[in-house]
Amino acid sequence: MLALFLLELNWKELLMGHEEWSFLLEIILRTAIMFLAIIIGLRVLGKRGVKQLSIFELVVIIGLGSAAGDPMFNKDVGIVSSILVFIVIILLYTIITIFIAKSKSFEKLVEGTSACLIRDGEFAIDNFKKENLGSDEFFAELRLKGVSQLGQIETAIVESSGEISIFFYEDKAVKSGLPIMPDSLENPLKIIPHEGHYSCTFCGHTEFKPEGTAGNCPKCEKDEWVEASSKRRVT
């Protein structure tokens, strides 16, 4: 039954669709031309266009990729029209880049701004909310940079490119702070079992607490705490 099915199968249509075998050579030529066009386009954009992918540059790269991809294998899309798309995108990029260089407000509108997410070992809550960044995702980024608790960090900034810049305290200045290791926030406390430094699970505010009711955080008014960590970074 399977053998009969395979014999009756239209292999040409399966492999080539409605195109002829001779179109394979044309695909090779189209791909080579568009590949060279991509290289030329990126060279014109310069290193900034391929190294620091802000939202603006990402849109440009996606536009170039879309314009280059279709004519490589789609017979109905001409190469000249795709090259024209390339030229328009590069011209728009150049014009917008000039405006960005001349106007700070326009630069902020197009590329966004940097924002401080951690200050003095605690979350800058208002900025963190604006960035729409999940805490688990952010903690993972910090752990990749060798951070185990927020008291190691003097300042953390999310750049307009999405990268996170971290400025650390010196070892002797490291404070107790919110632990960010996996599962460290799973069992928050509302009753302090023994005196010591405890951190608010929401904003990272850390303070010394005596045994008894934990109370509300003076910074965010939340009432869940975990025991703070005083570990230094291992470099």
Side-chain angles (χ1 to χ4, degrees), residues 76-121:
D76 295 329
V77 180
I79 290 178
V80 173
S81 58
S82 293
I83 296 295
L84 180 60
V85 172
F86 262 59
I87 293 172
V88 172
I89 290 175
I90 291 172
L91 283 175
L92 287 174
Y93 177 87
T94 303
I95 292 170
I96 291 175
T97 301
I98 291 172
F99 277 108
I100 286 175
K102 291 184 176 181
S103 171
K104 274 290 181 184
S105 57
F106 186 75
E107 180 181 8
K108 291 180 180 178
L109 178 65
V110 174
E111 297 195 331
T113 57
S114 302
C116 179
L117 298 183
I118 294 177
R119 185 179 290 111
D120 297 327

Side-chain angles (χ1 to χ4, degrees), residues 48 51-58 111-115 131 141 157-165:
R48 184 172 183 270
K51 186 178 181 181
Q52 301 174 3
L53 285 184
S54 65
I55 293 176
F56 171 47
E57 278 104 17
L58 186 60
E111 297 195 331
T113 57
S114 302
E131 292 302 316
E141 290 276 354
I157 299 170
V158 60
E159 308 293 353
S160 58
S161 63
E163 291 289 324
I164 296 175
S165 300

Side-chain angles (χ1 to χ4, degrees), residues 25 35 73 83 211 219 223:
L25 292 175
F35 181 77
F73 62 89
I83 296 295
E211 183 178 341
K219 184 176 179 181
D223 63 352

Side-chain angles (χ1 to χ4, degrees), residues 167-235:
F167 300 89
F168 296 100
Y169 284 114
E170 294 182 7
D171 280 350
K172 60 184 179 181
V174 168
K175 306 186 298 183
S176 296
L178 181 70
I180 61 170
M181 301 304 286
D183 305 331
S184 60
L185 305 181
E186 283 194 352
N187 298 301
L189 302 170
K190 294 188 178 183
I191 302 295
I192 304 302
H194 54 83
E195 67 177 24
H197 285 89
Y198 289 81
S199 299
C200 172
T201 59
F202 185 77
C203 70
H205 172 72
T206 301
E207 61 182 47
F208 182 85
K209 286 187 173 293
E211 183 178 341
T213 304
N216 295 85
C217 173
K219 184 176 179 181
C220 67
E221 299 185 350
K222 303 293 183 180
D223 63 352
E224 294 187 338
W225 302 78
V226 293
E227 189 168 2
S229 170
S230 57
K231 287 183 178 179
R232 297 179 179 178
R233 293 179 65 234
V234 178
T235 56

Side-chain angles (χ1 to χ4, degrees), residues 28 58 127:
I28 294 173
L58 186 60
N127 290 341

Side-chain angles (χ1 to χ4, degrees), residues 29 75 78 96:
L29 179 60
K75 201 171 187 177
I96 291 175

